[in-house]
Amino acid sequence: MRTVIYPGSFDPLTNGHLDVVHRAARLFDKVIVAVAQNETKQPLFSLQERVALVKESIAHLSNVEADTFDGLLVNYVEKRGGQAVVRGLRAVSDFEFEFQLALMNRKLNERIETIFMMPKETYTFLSSRMVKEIARLGGDISSFVPAHVQKALHERLNRKEVK
Ligand code: ADP
C-alpha cells in the first residue's frame, strides 16, 4: 500500500490543488490531503472550514481522503504510514522554498521522499492568495475554484464587507 500525503494550507482549495490531487491519485494507492493548522498565516477560513471544502471536492475520488494536522509534517506522515509527501511546483519561484522544505524534511526523516508535481499549464498562475484577492475585488473566479469554494468565498467576503 503506497500512501502519499499532500500537505498545505488550502485556504481555500483551488483547481490547481485539485489537479495535483488527481495526478497523485493515479500514482499512489492512497492520497491524504492534509490541511495544516497554520495559525501564523491568519487564514480566511478556519481549519474545519478548509477541510470541509477539501472533502466536498474529493468526494468522488475513492482513494483520496482529507485530514487535518498540526506540528511537524514528518511526524504526521509517520503516524499515517505514508511513504512520501507530494507538493505542487508552479514556477521557478516556488522552487527555492520547496527545495529547502524538502531537504529539511529529509534531514528530519530520511525515509520520507518528497515528490513534486507540475499542474496543467493553465493552473500555473493560480494561488489561493490570488483567488482571494480577485474574489475580494469582485472578479470572476469560476474557472479557478470548484463551485462550492466560490460560494464559500463569496459568503465570507460579503459578510466581511457588511461588518
Ligand atoms: P502552503 O501554505 O503549504 O504553501 P498551499 O495551500 O498554498 O499551502 O499549497 C499547498 C501545495 O500546493 C504547495 O506545494 C503549493 O506549491 C501547491 N500549489 C498551490 N497552488 C497550486 C497550483 N495552482 N498548482 C499546483 N500546485 C499548487
Short mmCIF file of all heavy atoms in Angstrom, two decimals, residues 57-87:
data_model
loop_
_atom_site.label_atom_id
_atom_site.label_comp_id
_atom_site.label_asym_id
_atom_site.label_seq_id
_atom_site.Cartn_x
_atom_site.Cartn_y
_atom_site.Cartn_z
N SER A 57 -14.70 18.48 -2.41
CA SER A 57 -14.05 18.45 -3.74
C SER A 57 -13.54 17.07 -4.11
O SER A 57 -13.32 16.79 -5.28
CB SER A 57 -12.86 19.41 -3.77
OG SER A 57 -13.22 20.65 -3.24
N ILE A 58 -13.28 16.23 -3.11
CA ILE A 58 -12.65 14.92 -3.41
C ILE A 58 -13.60 13.75 -3.19
O ILE A 58 -13.20 12.59 -3.31
CB ILE A 58 -11.38 14.71 -2.52
CG1 ILE A 58 -11.75 14.77 -1.04
CG2 ILE A 58 -10.29 15.71 -2.89
CD1 ILE A 58 -10.69 14.23 -0.12
N ALA A 59 -14.86 14.07 -2.92
CA ALA A 59 -15.84 13.02 -2.57
C ALA A 59 -15.94 11.93 -3.64
O ALA A 59 -16.19 10.77 -3.32
CB ALA A 59 -17.20 13.66 -2.34
N HIS A 60 -15.70 12.32 -4.91
CA HIS A 60 -15.83 11.35 -6.00
C HIS A 60 -14.57 10.52 -6.21
O HIS A 60 -14.55 9.63 -7.06
CB HIS A 60 -16.17 12.10 -7.30
CG HIS A 60 -15.09 13.06 -7.71
ND1 HIS A 60 -14.78 14.20 -6.99
CD2 HIS A 60 -14.23 13.03 -8.76
CE1 HIS A 60 -13.78 14.84 -7.59
NE2 HIS A 60 -13.44 14.14 -8.66
N LEU A 61 -13.52 10.79 -5.46
CA LEU A 61 -12.26 10.05 -5.63
C LEU A 61 -12.12 9.02 -4.51
O LEU A 61 -11.94 9.39 -3.34
CB LEU A 61 -11.06 11.01 -5.62
CG LEU A 61 -11.05 12.07 -6.74
CD1 LEU A 61 -10.01 13.15 -6.45
CD2 LEU A 61 -10.75 11.40 -8.08
N SER A 62 -12.21 7.74 -4.86
CA SER A 62 -12.29 6.70 -3.82
C SER A 62 -10.99 6.52 -3.03
O SER A 62 -11.02 6.05 -1.90
CB SER A 62 -12.72 5.38 -4.45
OG SER A 62 -11.78 5.03 -5.44
N ASN A 63 -9.85 6.87 -3.62
CA ASN A 63 -8.59 6.65 -2.89
C ASN A 63 -7.99 7.95 -2.32
O ASN A 63 -6.80 8.02 -2.04
CB ASN A 63 -7.55 5.93 -3.77
CG ASN A 63 -7.13 6.74 -4.98
OD1 ASN A 63 -7.88 7.60 -5.45
ND2 ASN A 63 -5.93 6.50 -5.48
N VAL A 64 -8.84 8.96 -2.18
CA VAL A 64 -8.36 10.23 -1.61
C VAL A 64 -9.17 10.57 -0.37
O VAL A 64 -10.40 10.42 -0.36
CB VAL A 64 -8.48 11.38 -2.64
CG1 VAL A 64 -7.94 12.68 -2.07
CG2 VAL A 64 -7.76 11.03 -3.93
N GLU A 65 -8.49 10.98 0.70
CA GLU A 65 -9.20 11.44 1.89
C GLU A 65 -8.62 12.76 2.38
O GLU A 65 -7.51 13.13 1.98
CB GLU A 65 -9.17 10.38 3.00
CG GLU A 65 -7.78 10.08 3.51
CD GLU A 65 -7.80 9.15 4.73
OE1 GLU A 65 -7.93 7.92 4.51
OE2 GLU A 65 -7.67 9.64 5.87
N ALA A 66 -9.37 13.44 3.22
CA ALA A 66 -8.89 14.71 3.77
C ALA A 66 -8.74 14.58 5.28
O ALA A 66 -9.48 13.85 5.93
CB ALA A 66 -9.87 15.82 3.44
N ASP A 67 -7.75 15.29 5.81
CA ASP A 67 -7.48 15.23 7.25
C ASP A 67 -6.87 16.57 7.65
O ASP A 67 -6.53 17.39 6.79
CB ASP A 67 -6.51 14.08 7.52
CG ASP A 67 -6.40 13.72 8.99
OD1 ASP A 67 -7.20 14.22 9.81
OD2 ASP A 67 -5.49 12.92 9.33
N THR A 68 -6.73 16.78 8.94
CA THR A 68 -6.04 17.97 9.42
C THR A 68 -4.78 17.52 10.17
O THR A 68 -4.70 16.38 10.63
CB THR A 68 -6.91 18.76 10.41
OG1 THR A 68 -7.20 17.92 11.53
CG2 THR A 68 -8.21 19.19 9.78
N PHE A 69 -3.81 18.42 10.24
CA PHE A 69 -2.65 18.10 11.07
C PHE A 69 -2.04 19.36 11.63
O PHE A 69 -2.24 20.46 11.08
CB PHE A 69 -1.60 17.30 10.27
CG PHE A 69 -0.70 18.13 9.38
CD1 PHE A 69 0.60 18.43 9.78
CD2 PHE A 69 -1.16 18.61 8.17
CE1 PHE A 69 1.44 19.20 8.97
CE2 PHE A 69 -0.34 19.38 7.35
CZ PHE A 69 0.96 19.68 7.74
N ASP A 70 -1.35 19.20 12.75
CA ASP A 70 -0.52 20.31 13.22
C ASP A 70 0.79 19.71 13.71
O ASP A 70 0.94 18.51 13.79
CB ASP A 70 -1.23 21.17 14.29
CG ASP A 70 -1.68 20.37 15.48
OD1 ASP A 70 -1.29 19.19 15.57
OD2 ASP A 70 -2.41 20.91 16.32
N GLY A 71 1.75 20.56 13.97
CA GLY A 71 3.06 20.06 14.36
C GLY A 71 3.87 19.69 13.15
O GLY A 71 3.57 20.10 12.02
N LEU A 72 4.90 18.87 13.37
CA LEU A 72 5.84 18.54 12.30
C LEU A 72 5.21 17.62 11.26
O LEU A 72 4.62 16.59 11.60
CB LEU A 72 7.05 17.82 12.90
CG LEU A 72 8.22 18.65 13.40
CD1 LEU A 72 9.32 17.72 13.88
CD2 LEU A 72 8.74 19.61 12.33
N LEU A 73 5.37 17.99 10.00
CA LEU A 73 4.80 17.19 8.91
C LEU A 73 5.34 15.76 8.94
O LEU A 73 4.57 14.80 8.78
CB LEU A 73 5.11 17.86 7.56
CG LEU A 73 4.71 17.06 6.33
CD1 LEU A 73 3.20 16.89 6.25
CD2 LEU A 73 5.24 17.72 5.07
N VAL A 74 6.65 15.60 9.15
CA VAL A 74 7.23 14.24 9.10
C VAL A 74 6.62 13.33 10.18
O VAL A 74 6.45 12.13 9.97
CB VAL A 74 8.78 14.24 9.21
CG1 VAL A 74 9.40 14.80 7.94
CG2 VAL A 74 9.27 14.98 10.43
N ASN A 75 6.25 13.91 11.30
CA ASN A 75 5.61 13.11 12.35
C ASN A 75 4.23 12.65 11.90
O ASN A 75 3.82 11.52 12.16
CB ASN A 75 5.48 13.91 13.65
CG ASN A 75 6.83 14.18 14.29
OD1 ASN A 75 7.84 13.61 13.86
ND2 ASN A 75 6.87 15.06 15.27
N TYR A 76 3.54 13.56 11.23
CA TYR A 76 2.20 13.22 10.73
C TYR A 76 2.30 12.12 9.66
O TYR A 76 1.50 11.17 9.64
CB TYR A 76 1.50 14.47 10.17
CG TYR A 76 0.17 14.15 9.55
CD1 TYR A 76 -0.94 13.89 10.34
CD2 TYR A 76 0.04 14.04 8.17
CE1 TYR A 76 -2.16 13.55 9.77
CE2 TYR A 76 -1.18 13.71 7.59
CZ TYR A 76 -2.27 13.46 8.40
OH TYR A 76 -3.47 13.10 7.83
N VAL A 77 3.29 12.23 8.77
CA VAL A 77 3.47 11.23 7.70
C VAL A 77 3.73 9.85 8.33
O VAL A 77 3.16 8.84 7.91
CB VAL A 77 4.62 11.63 6.75
CG1 VAL A 77 4.85 10.57 5.68
CG2 VAL A 77 4.34 12.97 6.08
N GLU A 78 4.55 9.81 9.36
CA GLU A 78 4.83 8.55 10.08
C GLU A 78 3.55 7.99 10.67
O GLU A 78 3.24 6.81 10.54
CB GLU A 78 5.85 8.78 11.21
CG GLU A 78 7.29 8.86 10.76
CD GLU A 78 7.83 7.53 10.24
OE1 GLU A 78 7.19 6.49 10.42
OE2 GLU A 78 8.91 7.57 9.60
N LYS A 79 2.80 8.87 11.33
CA LYS A 79 1.57 8.46 12.01
C LYS A 79 0.59 7.83 11.02
O LYS A 79 -0.08 6.85 11.34
CB LYS A 79 0.93 9.69 12.68
CG LYS A 79 -0.18 9.35 13.67
CD LYS A 79 -0.74 10.59 14.32
CE LYS A 79 -2.01 11.03 13.61
NZ LYS A 79 -2.58 12.27 14.11
N ARG A 80 0.53 8.39 9.80
CA ARG A 80 -0.41 7.88 8.80
C ARG A 80 0.19 6.77 7.93
O ARG A 80 -0.45 6.29 7.00
CB ARG A 80 -0.89 9.03 7.91
CG ARG A 80 -1.67 10.12 8.62
CD ARG A 80 -2.90 9.65 9.37
NE ARG A 80 -3.76 8.76 8.62
CZ ARG A 80 -4.88 9.11 7.98
NH1 ARG A 80 -5.26 10.36 8.02
NH2 ARG A 80 -5.60 8.22 7.34
N GLY A 81 1.43 6.37 8.22
CA GLY A 81 2.06 5.29 7.45
C GLY A 81 2.35 5.67 6.01
O GLY A 81 2.31 4.81 5.12
N GLY A 82 2.67 6.94 5.77
CA GLY A 82 2.95 7.40 4.41
C GLY A 82 4.40 7.14 4.00
O GLY A 82 5.29 7.08 4.84
N GLN A 83 4.59 6.99 2.68
CA GLN A 83 5.95 6.83 2.15
C GLN A 83 6.49 8.14 1.60
O GLN A 83 7.69 8.33 1.48
CB GLN A 83 5.97 5.81 0.99
CG GLN A 83 5.88 4.37 1.40
CD GLN A 83 4.45 3.99 1.75
OE1 GLN A 83 3.50 4.52 1.22
NE2 GLN A 83 4.33 3.06 2.68
N ALA A 84 5.60 9.02 1.21
CA ALA A 84 6.05 10.23 0.52
C ALA A 84 5.12 11.41 0.78
O ALA A 84 4.00 11.25 1.24
CB ALA A 84 6.14 9.96 -0.98
N VAL A 85 5.68 12.58 0.44
CA VAL A 85 4.93 13.84 0.51
C VAL A 85 4.87 14.36 -0.92
O VAL A 85 5.87 14.30 -1.64
CB VAL A 85 5.70 14.85 1.40
CG1 VAL A 85 5.14 16.26 1.26
CG2 VAL A 85 5.68 14.40 2.85
N VAL A 86 3.73 14.85 -1.34
CA VAL A 86 3.67 15.47 -2.67
C VAL A 86 3.43 16.97 -2.50
O VAL A 86 2.69 17.40 -1.62
CB VAL A 86 2.58 14.82 -3.57
CG1 VAL A 86 1.18 15.06 -3.08
CG2 VAL A 86 2.71 15.33 -5.02
N ARG A 87 4.15 17.75 -3.32
CA ARG A 87 3.97 19.20 -3.34
C ARG A 87 3.84 19.63 -4.79
O ARG A 87 4.39 18.99 -5.68
CB ARG A 87 5.17 19.90 -2.69
CG ARG A 87 5.36 19.61 -1.21
CD ARG A 87 4.42 20.38 -0.31
NE ARG A 87 4.77 21.80 -0.23
CZ ARG A 87 4.03 22.68 0.44
NH1 ARG A 87 2.93 22.31 1.08
NH2 ARG A 87 4.40 23.94 0.48
#
